[in-house]
Amino acid sequence: IDPNALLRLSRRVFVLSSKSFSTSQTRKMPMCILNTNLKDQDIPADFDLILCNKVGEVLTKPLEKITLTINSNLRQVRAGSSAPMASLDIHSIGVFDEKRNPTYTKGLLPFVCEKLKLPETRVVLIYHDLLATNVGQVLPAAKS
């Protein structure tokens, strides 16, 4: 079998399988997890909503597609210190790469630091690029 023909066939199968997973809609689904050793009462009450808005703004994703989980009061150490810190993991499909990530960092890092009152050395952003076929979800029916 010609290896190039096999590669073309596998790409065609991937494209077809991606369409069956509603890839165009799935691409708008950042999932964010903020881990911090801050106590819950030290996190602004509206931080979850304003962080979702900020992620949507920076990644150009609609708010209704963003999922956020905040884990507070954790035991965390960064650079040998258990001083207040946070790590923000953002999982999304097809938005993270070497060229765009610095722009996302410039938009998100100062924002998170300001809202949580943490120095930039105590906040880490971690970008996770996902494959559409590795995400399972039920999408609302398309409006006619």
Side-chain angles (χ1 to χ4, degrees), residues 10-79:
S10 68
R11 285 183 183 153
R12 187 173 300 146
V13 169
F14 174 74
V15 169
L16 291 174
S17 69
S18 293
K19 287 181 182 175
S20 70
F21 284 102
S22 301
T23 304
S24 63
Q25 290 182 16
T26 307
R27 287 192 187 278
K28 299 176 181 169
M29 48 67 57
M31 299 180 65
C32 309
I33 303 167
L34 179 83
N35 291 305
T36 182
N37 56 4
L38 293 172
K39 293 180 181 158
D40 197 52
Q41 62 265 26
D42 295 334
I43 300 171
D46 62 346
F47 182 69
D48 48 353
L49 296 176
I50 60 174
L51 180 57
C52 285
N53 280 307
K54 188 64 171 181
V55 168
E57 173 191 318
V58 171
L59 300 182
T60 62
K61 302 293 180 187
L63 181 61
E64 58 273 1
K65 299 294 182 179
I66 298 171
T67 301
L68 170 66
T69 301
I70 297 177
N71 298 309
S72 58
N73 202 35
L74 298 174
R75 293 175 59 172
Q76 287 183 297
V77 173
R78 173 160 171 71

Side-chain angles (χ1 to χ4, degrees), residues 90-121:
I90 305 174
H91 305 257
S92 197
I93 299 168
V95 297
F96 299 123
D97 58 43
E98 185 177 352
K99 183 177 180 183
R100 295 180 284 181
N101 290 357
T103 303
Y104 302 146
T105 300
K106 286 179 188 173
L108 291 169
L109 187 63
F111 174 83
V112 171
C113 292
E114 175 191 337
K115 298 300 179 188
L116 296 180
K117 298 181 173 86
L118 294 172
E120 289 188 356
T121 57

